[in-house]
């Protein structure tokens, strides 16, 4: 039987600080239950002036833009993305995201589990 979860049923966290950024996020599945799997999935919402600070982690990551427009920074490059865009982020690449022209909702996926094995290392110049 498939494991089904909904955003509305999750515990949301809010970050609002100069290093991690200004966003709300939740985990849909951290790969632990009902049985261990190797995928962690969540959703982040960036308000009109929201951003996730530049950071690194060993695991690669995928962003899928559910709605809105954003700029994704990866190492020294920036790319504007919109609804329906998929962004593949290599492991250990410095990356961040910021909303442009309104709020943004992004699905994020790590090919690893559980989520607490993803060690975020935020950059000194954190803003995405």
């Amino acid at each position: 039987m498939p494991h089904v979860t909904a955003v509305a049923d999750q515990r949301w966290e809010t970050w609002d600080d100069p290093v991690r950024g200004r966003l709300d996020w939740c985990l849909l599945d951290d790969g632990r239950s009902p049985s261990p799997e190797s995928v962690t999935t969540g959703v982040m919402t960036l308000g009109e002036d929201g951003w996730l600070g530049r950071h690194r982690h060993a695991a690669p990551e995928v962003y899928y833009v559910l709605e809105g427009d954003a700029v994704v920074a990866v190492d020294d490059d920036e790319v504007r993305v919109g609804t329906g865009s998929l962004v593949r982020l290599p492991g250990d690449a410095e990356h961040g995201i910021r909303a442009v022209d309104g709020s943004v909702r992004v699905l994020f996926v790590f090919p690893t589990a559980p989520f607490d094995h993803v060690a975020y290392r935020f950059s000194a110049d954190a803003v995405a």
Side-chain angles (χ1 to χ4, degrees):
M1 180 154 196
H3 175 67
V4 178
T5 186
V7 169
D9 298 332
Q10 305 312 308
R11 183 178 63 95
W12 283 81
E13 295 206 29
T14 298
W15 289 352
D16 188 3
D17 68 61
V19 175
R20 295 182 302 174
R22 191 173 312 121
L23 67 148
D24 298 311
W25 64 277
C26 72
L27 288 179
L28 292 169
D29 193 331
D30 78 350
R32 288 183 201 255
S33 64
S35 64
E37 298 293 336
S38 60
V39 177
T40 296
T41 309
V43 174
M44 70 175 115
T45 301
L46 310 171
E48 188 171 335
D49 57 351
W51 54 281
L52 171 60
R54 290 180 187 245
H55 62 282
R56 298 174 188 272
H57 36 71
E61 185 176 14
V62 171
Y63 289 166
Y64 179 76
V65 182
L66 298 167
E67 62 184 51
D69 293 309
V71 170
V72 176
V74 182
D75 291 326
D76 295 327
D77 296 320
E78 289 191 345
V79 62
R80 187 171 174 146
V81 297
T83 303
S85 297
L86 181 112
V87 181
R88 290 180 9 178
L89 303 160
D92 279 321
E94 182 183 57
H95 61 282
I97 184 171
R98 70 178 183 275
V100 293
D101 301 328
S103 63
V104 180
R105 284 177 62 90
V106 176
L107 177 76
F108 60 89
V109 179
F110 294 101
T112 190
F115 179 69
D116 60 5
H117 288 180
V118 179
Y120 280 69
R121 300 180 321 270
F122 284 91
S123 304
D125 181 18
V127 177

